[in-house]
């Protein structure tokens, strides 16, 4: 289910990229509005539809939604200004930002192993980004869009890490269905509010691509959620990195984009850092479980 979700999410990205020059707010609206359809069908099938709307923390959901929308818009900008493999691979830095922000904002104790993984992973990010970021100082105006795309991708990853911290707080009191539904509704409204700022008329193919992107986003969310329901996070999460292989293949065959040496080397470094973080989180989880059992009174 996790690998299927990755493929469907990639299909969503391909549709958004293939749609061409469409304002970001319009992309966010179609991606969010049509994602609600499969999500609501799933909740109705599980008899959780009405319960999904109920919350005692609407402000927290709206804040998480607005942060998520900001990340989504930046990701879409990067997607339309970068080769598909680079746009996908730069998202792998999110777990590294989560570690940094957890230490800074939540005061979590981060040990040397994970700090080392962060530094190692950031080296990979620099390797991927350097050819594009160096274009800021060049005279090639048309390629500066790639530099802006890399900047947007990295900013989106950092903002997405903030959204993850907000989700961590929400899951303590809210059901997953509630979090997903409120995010979809918030991002739909946020996208719709950009209507006065220059939406464009869509051709038939563009409309089809954007509606398909939205449906793919909803289906992928369901598949991902079900994947984590049937196996531990430490088992499922590493499969996220298979998207680099799929993105390289899709970029080449659909858009004629050839993955650069920098992207491959830097991507492998970031993947290695991410896998280490997942492994380390799993080990720490086992240690905490063992400590709880050891401290529990005998029966």
């Amino acid at each position: 289910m996790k690998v299927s979700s990755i493929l469907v999410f990639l299909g969503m990205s391909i549709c958004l990229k293939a749609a061409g020059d469409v304002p970001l707010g319009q992309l966010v609206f179609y991606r969010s509005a049509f994602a609600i359809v499969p999500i609501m069908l799933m909740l109705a099938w599980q008899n959780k539809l009405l319960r999904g709307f109920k919350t005692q923390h609407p402000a927290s959901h709206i804040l998480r939604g607005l942060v998520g929308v900001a990340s989504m818009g930046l990701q879409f900008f990067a997607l339309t200004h970068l080769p598909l493999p680079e746009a996908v691979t730069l998202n792998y830095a999110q777990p590294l930002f989560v570690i940094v922000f957890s230490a800074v904002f939540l005061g979590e104790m981060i040990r040397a192993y994970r700090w080392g993984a962060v530094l190692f992973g950031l080296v990979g990010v620099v390797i991927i980004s350097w050819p594009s970021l160096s274009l800021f100082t060049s005279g090639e105006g048309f390629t500066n869009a790639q530099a802006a795309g890399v900047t947007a991708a990295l900013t989106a990853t950092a903002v997405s890490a903030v959204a993850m911290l907000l989700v961590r707080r929400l899951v303590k009191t809210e059901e997953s269905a509630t979090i997903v539904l409120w995010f979809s509704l918030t991002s739909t409204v946020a996208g719709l509010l950009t209507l006065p700022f220059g939406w464009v008329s869509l051709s038939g193919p563009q409309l089809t691509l954007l509606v398909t992107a939205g449906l793919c986003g909803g289906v992928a969310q369901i598949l991902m959620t079900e994947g984590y329901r049937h196996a531990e996070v430490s088992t499922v999460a590493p499969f996220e990195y298979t998207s680099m292989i799929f993105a390289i293949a899709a970029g080449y065959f659909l858009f004629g984009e050839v993955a650069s040496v920098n992207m491959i080397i830097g991507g492998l470094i970031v993947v290695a850092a991410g896998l280490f973080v997942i492994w380390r989180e799993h080990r720490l989880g086992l240690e905490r479980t063992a400590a709880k059992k050891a401290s529990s009174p005998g029966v």
Side-chain angles (χ1 to χ4, degrees):
M1 285 183 174
K2 176 63 175 178
V3 174
S4 297
S5 77
I6 290 168
L7 288 170
V8 179
F9 268 130
L10 182 62
M12 178 198 77
S13 298
I14 290 170
C15 288
L16 292 170
K17 189 175 181 66
D21 191 15
V22 178
L24 293 180
Q26 198 168 357
L27 291 178
V28 169
F29 171 78
Y30 278 93
R31 156 65 178 89
S32 303
F34 286 93
I36 293 176
V37 176
I39 291 172
M40 292 189 73
L41 288 174
M42 180 196 71
L43 294 178
W45 181 65
Q46 296 177 340
N47 293 320
K48 294 182 178 180
L49 186 56
L50 293 179
R51 191 167 61 183
F53 286 98
K54 294 180 180 179
T55 178
Q56 296 181 359
H57 306 283
S60 297
H61 283 287
I62 293 173
L63 176 60
R64 179 266 185 272
L66 293 176
V67 173
V69 166
S71 175
M72 188 187 300
L74 289 166
Q75 287 174 350
F76 292 169
F77 180 89
L79 190 64
T80 54
H81 289 77
L82 286 175
L84 186 62
E86 288 185 24
V88 169
T89 304
L90 285 171
N91 287 330
Y92 295 160
Q94 188 213 52
L96 310 180
F97 283 108
V98 169
I99 290 175
V100 175
F101 293 161
S102 295
V104 174
F105 299 118
L106 302 182
E108 292 187 6
M109 179 65 68
I110 307 299
R111 299 178 184 177
Y113 289 110
R114 283 187 289 171
W115 280 123
V118 168
L119 294 176
F120 186 62
L122 292 179
V123 168
V125 170
V126 170
I127 291 174
I128 298 170
S129 308
W130 187 254
S132 294
L133 292 179
S134 63
L135 294 173
F136 274 133
T137 59
S138 74
E140 302 177 41
F142 74 96
T143 54
N144 282 341
Q146 292 186 16
V150 169
T151 304
L154 294 177
T155 306
T157 302
V159 175
S160 177
V162 175
M164 288 300 300
L165 296 184
L166 294 174
V167 170
R168 276 189 186 181
R169 186 174 299 175
L170 281 170
V171 295
K172 295 178 181 179
T173 57
E174 305 289 287
E175 292 190 12
S176 298
T178 304
I179 296 172
V180 170
L181 192 55
W182 271 79
F183 170 67
S184 298
L185 292 172
T186 303
S187 54
T188 297
V189 172
L192 187 60
L193 290 176
T194 66
L195 178 59
F197 301 98
W199 280 25
V200 297
S201 298
L202 300 175
S203 65
Q206 283 180 312
L207 180 61
T208 301
L209 286 168
L210 294 184
V211 170
T212 302
L215 294 173
C216 284
V219 171
Q221 185 73 45
I222 293 170
L223 289 169
M224 182 178 67
T225 302
E226 289 301 308
Y228 284 113
R229 188 189 306 278
H230 288 85
E232 293 182 0
V233 172
S234 58
T235 301
V236 176
F239 288 93
E240 180 73 33
Y241 299 108
T242 60
S243 61
M244 186 170 77
I245 300 172
F246 300 141
I248 290 174
Y252 178 76
F253 289 109
L254 298 178
F255 302 105
E257 300 166 345
V258 179
S260 66
V261 174
N262 285 72
M263 194 243 97
I264 294 174
I265 295 175
L268 291 175
I269 291 174
V270 174
V271 167
L275 289 174
F276 179 82
V277 168
I278 293 169
W279 174 81
R280 187 62 184 166
E281 292 287 349
H282 178 60
R283 295 299 304 170
L284 290 174
L286 292 177
E287 290 175 10
R288 284 191 289 267
T289 301
K292 286 181 180 179
K293 289 182 178 179
S295 62
S296 299
V299 291

